[in-house]
Amino acid sequence: MPTRTVFFVSDGTGITAETFGNSILKQFSIQPRHVRMPFIDTVEKAHQVVEEINRTAESEGRKPIVFTTLVNEEVLSIVKNGCKGLVLDMFMTFVEPLEAEFGMKSNHRVGRFSDIARSQEYNNRIEAINFALAHDDGQSAKNLEEADVILVGVSRSGKTPTSLYLAMQHGVKAANYPLIPEDFERNCLPSALVPHKAKCFGLSIAPERLAEIRNSRRPGSRYASLENCRYEVAAAEALMRREGISWLSSTHRSIEEIATTILRDIRPDRLVY
Amino acid sequence: MPTRTVFFVSDGTGITAETFGNSILKQFSIQPRHVRMPFIDTVEKAHQVVEEINRTAESEGRKPIVFTTLVNEEVLSIVKNGCKGLVLDMFMTFVEPLEAEFGMKSNHRVGRFSDIARSQEYNNRIEAINFALAHDDGQSAKNLEEADVILVGVSRSGKTPTSLYLAMQHGVKAANYPLIPEDFERNCLPSALVPHKAKCFGLSIAPERLAEIRNSRRPGSRYASLENCRYEVAAAEALMRREGISWLSSTHRSIEEIATTILRDIRPDRLVY
């Protein structure tokens, strides 16, 4: 297949544009080359972008695809009018109908993130990340009352990445607490969790998948054996069922899907978008 | 200001749509109410969405804004044709010109993430998160040769959230290693870093901001004092300058901006989008 290049041109980081552009490109059976061009915020840089796109167009003999989220009108018009690519303007395409519907002009403010580092929303995210790290794997039962959600489940069921994602993406304070063989023998929740049962959310996993994950870390151990994984998963599910803790299986779900499902369930008041 | 509701309707998690939609809404001086409607993947659910949007339109007396990333044509047409909102279709708007340019139909595959949990790309992300956690704050000098980048800087300069973000968003293996007063006294890099100097990247921070952050964790300590922060930052920058390690200031930058700048600098081969 001949090469096709996709440019992501943004005044800011371009991360949102690239993530979104990618989910659209995945609808096609092509494997384009990606070029990210962040922080394009001057006329001079815009001209450099146009040059690079046009050089690519020439050498590949086909139109590059150009996703832009440029907010500055002058910069945008240089790219739009000067380049020989297919320009998909992810900004004005939606801003125009919104201006009409709201009956107001948009403020064309560059850099969604420029002043964000000091904002309350941003501080909440950082605080939530620190909280997730301090409360990873049942490390601390302190301040569990501050948690928006406490993820429970057997070791390696996906609790850690999910709690970090909830913090990073949504500013949600997620602790996580493992369910271990001692809990199954005693046949009750770890005592630190009892007062917070209402905000516990369980992760389960298919024993076969769990054994695979554990084996890659501790090959051949009893911990990783399919027999032990079967026992732990069954015991954890029985415990959660008895305690009335809802859970989902992480086996075929991405972190994003798990996080979305949890948020729908717990509906925290404070949510960062 | 009268209420205005914004719906995010998606067959999947809707996270990308929501993040992107938000950066567009932030261009307007309005504070809309957000309603996320993930996993809308059946005709039945589509009709429920239409009902809820139309109920909202009625009770608020103004058109709700409806961002959709629906891939299924039947589901999309129910929402598009049935609802009384302003529908902004973030999927077909860009898919159509791409179909024309590529000369092929898109595959309209629902659920960018559905099978992702077992994919190589997904496993790389999880592995990178585990790597970042195991190599947080200089905890381990083991396997540093596997790192794509090693973030260095004084305590609380932003290394941990940045390394987790690089892992989570891009599948980049980022270790982080603190520069501490002992290093400044010895006047050289921690010995574990010496063989990996080429992939070190520094974070610095304004001493005033550092003192603020440290004071919120250890109020009134010498560690948090402005004088000590000034000393540590100046010493760390002198050390990095002498060792030829490039750095940036995290003071006015978001995690996303820091990560984007680092990626532009280190250009790792393996990048998850």
Side-chain angles (χ1 to χ4, degrees), chain B residues 145-199:
Chain B
E145 60 281 359
E146 279 180 36
D148 296 308
V149 62
I150 302 170
L151 302 179
V152 298
V154 301
S155 159
R156 296 287 136 191
S157 53
K159 301 183 300 298
T160 297
T162 304
S163 57
L164 286 170
Y165 183 85
L166 282 166
M168 184 96 66
Q169 180 75 22
H170 300 291
V172 164
K173 284 189 180 171
N176 77 72
Y177 217 97
L179 296 179
I180 57 175
E182 285 73 1
D183 301 316
F184 308 140
E185 279 158 32
R186 290 187 307 117
N187 206 7
C188 57
L189 275 186
S191 57
L193 296 184
V194 175
H196 307 294
K197 213 167 75 174
K199 59 185 174 192

Side-chain angles (χ1 to χ4, degrees), chain B residues 83-230:
Chain B
C83 93
K84 292 174 186 150
L86 173 70
V87 178
L88 298 172
D89 177 354
M90 301 171 95
F91 182 73
M92 282 311 286
T93 303
F94 298 115
V95 164
E96 275 171 357
L98 285 172
E99 286 183 338
E101 174 61 29
F102 292 151
M104 64 169 90
K105 295 294 280 180
S106 72
N107 44 38
H108 283 268
R109 209 169 37 199
V110 171
R112 194 193 144 207
F113 296 114
S114 13
D115 287 323
I116 214 171
R118 304 295 289 265
S119 74
Q120 190 53 46
E121 173 187 311
Y122 191 74
N123 287 341
N124 286 347
R125 272 174 70 194
I126 300 288
E127 205 188 307
I129 293 170
N130 289 331
F131 185 88
L133 289 172
H135 294 82
D136 183 33
D137 206 28
Q139 269 178 69
S140 164
K142 254 177 55 184
N143 311 325
L144 276 183
E145 60 281 359
E146 279 180 36
D148 296 308
V149 62
I150 302 170
L151 302 179
V152 298
V154 301
S155 159
R156 296 287 136 191
S157 53
K159 301 183 300 298
T160 297
T162 304
S163 57
L164 286 170
Y165 183 85
L166 282 166
M168 184 96 66
Q169 180 75 22
H170 300 291
V172 164
K173 284 189 180 171
N176 77 72
Y177 217 97
L179 296 179
I180 57 175
E182 285 73 1
D183 301 316
F184 308 140
E185 279 158 32
R186 290 187 307 117
N187 206 7
C188 57
L189 275 186
S191 57
L193 296 184
V194 175
H196 307 294
K197 213 167 75 174
K199 59 185 174 192
C200 286
F201 193 100
L203 290 188
S204 195
I205 183 169
E208 294 72 20
R209 175 72 181 137
L210 182 61
E212 211 177 290
I213 296 170
R214 287 183 172 184
N215 260 311
S216 74
R217 292 177 74 91
R218 299 211 207 141
S221 63
R222 177 171 151 60
Y223 163 81
S225 71
L226 183 54
E227 189 197 347
N228 181 56
C229 289
R230 279 204 178 116

Side-chain angles (χ1 to χ4, degrees), chain B residues 4 8 20-21 56 68 107 123 153 162 200 205 231 264-265 271:
Chain B
R4 173 83 78 158
F8 297 91
F20 181 50
T56 304
T68 73
N107 44 38
N123 287 341
T162 304
C200 286
I205 183 169
Y231 162 70
R264 206 173 41 168
D265 208 68
L271 248 190

Side-chain angles (χ1 to χ4, degrees), chain B residues 157 201-207 209 237 247-254 257-258 261:
Chain B
S157 53
F201 193 100
L203 290 188
S204 195
I205 183 169
R209 175 72 181 137
E237 292 188 354
W247 79 84
L248 58 76
S249 165
S250 66
T251 314
H252 297 292
R253 286 186 176 88
S254 67
E257 287 174 321
I258 298 168
T261 307

Side-chain angles (χ1 to χ4, degrees), chain A residues 27-260:
Chain A
Q27 295 290 325
F28 295 93
S29 319
I30 53 159
Q31 292 248 322
R33 185 174 77 98
H34 288 249
V35 181
R36 181 195 287 193
M37 312 192 98
F39 307 127
I40 305 304
D41 49 10
T42 64
V43 164
E44 202 188 344
K45 289 185 194 168
H47 284 298
Q48 288 166 5
V49 166
V50 168
E51 264 175 49
E52 180 159 347
I53 294 171
N54 291 350
R55 236 188 343 259
T56 304
E58 190 128 335
S59 76
E60 293 179 359
R62 15 183 81 216
K63 268 192 187 175
I65 308 302
V66 184
F67 283 101
T68 73
T69 51
L70 295 166
V71 173
N72 180 291
E73 290 174 281
E74 199 181 352
V75 171
L76 175 61
S77 88
I78 291 170
V79 174
K80 256 193 171 159
N81 301 327
C83 92
K84 293 174 185 150
L86 174 70
V87 178
L88 298 173
D89 177 355
M90 302 171 94
F91 181 74
M92 282 309 289
T93 303
F94 298 115
V95 164
E96 276 171 356
L98 285 172
E99 286 184 338
E101 174 61 29
F102 293 152
M104 62 168 89
K105 295 294 281 178
S106 71
N107 45 38
H108 283 266
R109 207 168 37 198
V110 171
R112 194 192 143 207
F113 295 115
S114 17
D115 288 323
I116 214 170
R118 306 295 290 264
S119 75
Q120 189 54 45
E121 171 187 312
Y122 190 75
N123 288 340
N124 285 348
R125 273 173 71 196
I126 300 288
E127 203 187 309
I129 293 170
N130 289 331
F131 185 89
L133 289 172
H135 295 83
D136 183 33
D137 206 28
Q139 270 178 68
S140 164
K142 252 176 58 186
N143 311 325
L144 276 183
E145 60 281 359
E146 278 179 35
D148 296 307
V149 62
I150 302 169
L151 302 178
V152 299
V154 301
S155 159
R156 296 286 137 190
S157 53
K159 302 183 299 298
T160 297
T162 304
S163 56
L164 286 171
Y165 184 85
L166 282 166
M168 185 97 64
Q169 180 75 22
H170 300 291
V172 164
K173 284 190 179 172
N176 77 73
Y177 217 97
L179 297 178
I180 57 176
E182 285 72 3
D183 302 315
F184 309 139
E185 279 157 31
R186 289 187 306 118
N187 207 6
C188 56
L189 275 187
S191 57
L193 296 184
V194 175
H196 307 293
K197 214 167 74 174
K199 58 185 174 192
C200 287
F201 193 100
L203 291 187
S204 196
I205 183 168
E208 295 71 21
R209 176 70 183 139
L210 182 62
E212 213 176 290
I213 296 171
R214 288 182 171 185
N215 259 309
S216 74
R217 292 179 73 91
R218 301 211 206 142
S221 63
R222 181 174 147 59
Y223 163 80
S225 72
L226 182 54
E227 189 197 346
N228 181 57
C229 290
R230 279 204 178 114
Y231 162 70
E232 285 195 29
V233 168
E237 293 188 354
L239 182 56
M240 294 189 287
R241 189 176 300 115
R242 209 178 42 248
E243 298 284 348
I245 294 171
S246 51
W247 80 83
L248 58 77
S249 165
S250 67
T251 314
H252 298 291
R253 287 188 176 87
S254 68
I255 305 175
E256 287 84 349
E257 286 174 320
I258 298 169
T260 301

Side-chain angles (χ1 to χ4, degrees), chain A residues 13-21 69 90 112-113, chain B residues 16 19-21 23:
Chain A
T13 63
I15 292 170
T16 310
E18 190 161 353
T19 310
F20 181 49
T69 51
M90 302 171 94
R112 194 192 143 207
F113 295 115
Chain B
T16 309
T19 310
F20 181 50
S23 66

